[in-house]
Amino acid sequence: MKLKILMVEDDQSVAEMMGMFFEKEGWSMDVATDGEQAVKMFAKNPDQYDLITLDLNLPKKDGIEVAKEVCAISPTIPIIMLTARSSEEEQIQGFNAGADDYVSKPFSPLALIARIKALQRRIRIDDNQEQSKTAESGEKFDVVTTHIKISTSRREVLYDDKPVQNITPKEFDLLYTMAQKPKQVFSREQLLESVWGYNYFGEERTVDAHIKKLRQKLEKVGANVIQTVWGVGYKFDDS
């Protein structure tokens, strides 16, 4: 698994350290040292990057601004935020801005690499599923409910045949996981395990933040299909 990573980090020692660890994995890395530079580098050729690691405290533009601008260019780019901030509110802001994962400083380089591999493993599974589709099956939907249609090969969600726009990989996986089993209640722990694919070390509010963003995108086409089961978790129900 060869990756091209954009590391947005103003601490040279951190960037150099991670550069050595990435090189051992066979990954390449570009470094941006401030927020404005990061957006310019990404906008110039967004398709060259497989993932962004993004410091929250940056000169010129902070990580929240960078994440929003980057996601406006490419809504599906995976982003892992690196920050010394630890408050729940700031973490939720990061997820709302488009982050897929959150690593608090100081961090272990091996732990960050494990997070990157887990995120990419999930994406690779989806890619393999897409490649295995025949031309005929590629026209079909993997999940069809009363109002929702989901295609994993096209990463497409329709509500009453209206496309739901700009769904990120994590949001898509959350919806797909729940829609496969309508009305089944999923705990946050179950969704973390199913969607993130590993023992997540952060807050369970990660799920809440992604569900909130997913709901906002669904509601733009009139869909209200994700229900909160208080004290337990979430379920999909479009009946």
Side-chain angles (χ1 to χ4, degrees), residues 39-109:
V39 174
K40 289 178 182 177
M41 289 175 64
F42 185 75
K44 186 176 181 180
N45 189 2
D47 291 337
Q48 71 173 311
Y49 295 112
D50 299 296
L51 181 138
I52 297 175
T53 64
L54 177 60
D55 190 18
L56 196 54
N57 292 313
L58 291 168
K60 298 184 180 179
K61 286 183 180 179
D62 68 17
I64 299 295
E65 292 180 86
V66 173
K68 289 179 179 178
E69 293 187 32
V70 161
C71 287
I73 298 168
S74 175
T76 59
I77 183 70
I79 298 174
I80 298 179
M81 280 197 167
L82 310 176
T83 178
R85 303 182 191 178
S86 58
S87 77
E88 182 178 278
E89 181 181 352
E90 287 163 337
Q91 291 186 26
I92 297 302
Q93 284 179 347
F95 289 125
N96 285 339
D100 294 281
D101 207 344
Y102 200 104
V103 177
S104 296
K105 291 182 177 180
F107 60 86
S108 160

Side-chain angles (χ1 to χ4, degrees), residues 14 17-18 20-22 25 27 103 106-116:
V14 172
M17 174 185 67
M18 289 312 307
M20 291 187 290
F21 278 89
F22 290 164
E25 297 291 331
W27 303 344
V103 177
F107 60 86
S108 160
L110 295 178
L112 175 57
I113 286 172
R115 298 284 186 93
I116 292 172

Side-chain angles (χ1 to χ4, degrees), residues 100-145:
D100 294 281
D101 207 344
Y102 200 104
V103 177
S104 296
K105 291 182 177 180
F107 60 86
S108 160
L110 295 178
L112 175 57
I113 286 172
R115 298 284 186 93
I116 292 172
K117 287 181 176 179
L119 188 55
Q120 288 298 314
R121 185 162 56 245
R122 187 74 187 184
I123 295 171
R124 190 169 69 252
I125 289 171
D126 291 335
D127 288 344
N128 289 339
Q129 289 174 342
E130 180 175 351
Q131 291 169 8
S132 69
K133 301 281 186 180
T134 63
E136 180 181 358
S137 64
E139 295 302 314
K140 297 180 180 178
F141 290 92
D142 302 275
V143 173
V144 179
T145 66

Side-chain angles (χ1 to χ4, degrees), residues 196-214:
W196 276 257
Y198 61 96
N199 266 342
Y200 186 71
F201 299 105
E203 300 288 340
E204 290 180 4
R205 289 293 298 277
T206 300
V207 174
D208 297 341
H210 282 79
I211 290 288
K212 179 181 178 181
K213 291 192 297 178
L214 175 59

Side-chain angles (χ1 to χ4, degrees), residues 91-237:
Q91 291 186 26
I92 297 302
Q93 284 179 347
F95 289 125
N96 285 339
D100 294 281
D101 207 344
Y102 200 104
V103 177
S104 296
K105 291 182 177 180
F107 60 86
S108 160
L110 295 178
L112 175 57
I113 286 172
R115 298 284 186 93
I116 292 172
K117 287 181 176 179
L119 188 55
Q120 288 298 314
R121 185 162 56 245
R122 187 74 187 184
I123 295 171
R124 190 169 69 252
I125 289 171
D126 291 335
D127 288 344
N128 289 339
Q129 289 174 342
E130 180 175 351
Q131 291 169 8
S132 69
K133 301 281 186 180
T134 63
E136 180 181 358
S137 64
E139 295 302 314
K140 297 180 180 178
F141 290 92
D142 302 275
V143 173
V144 179
T145 66
T146 305
H147 297 283
I148 291 283
K149 296 178 182 177
I150 300 175
S151 168
T152 57
S153 64
R154 299 187 297 278
R155 306 292 288 184
E156 181 181 43
V157 178
L158 301 180
Y159 176 76
D160 288 343
D161 294 324
K162 293 179 289 188
V164 182
Q165 301 290 343
N166 298 329
I167 291 185
T168 67
K170 283 291 184 292
E171 292 163 4
F172 182 94
D173 291 341
L174 279 168
L175 181 62
Y176 178 64
T177 297
M178 291 187 287
Q180 289 182 93
K181 299 178 179 179
K183 298 186 180 181
Q184 175 177 318
V185 179
F186 290 84
S187 69
R188 291 173 179 83
E189 294 90 341
Q190 287 174 315
L191 291 172
L192 282 169
E193 180 66 26
S194 297
V195 174
W196 276 257
Y198 61 96
N199 266 342
Y200 186 71
F201 299 105
E203 300 288 340
E204 290 180 4
R205 289 293 298 277
T206 300
V207 174
D208 297 341
H210 282 79
I211 290 288
K212 179 181 178 181
K213 291 192 297 178
L214 175 59
R215 277 175 167 161
Q216 290 170 347
K217 294 172 184 179
L218 288 166
E219 287 169 1
K220 286 183 179 180
V221 295
N224 182 18
V225 296
I226 299 177
Q227 310 298 324
T228 299
V229 181
W230 297 107
V232 183
Y234 299 97
K235 67 178 180 179
F236 175 93
D237 186 356

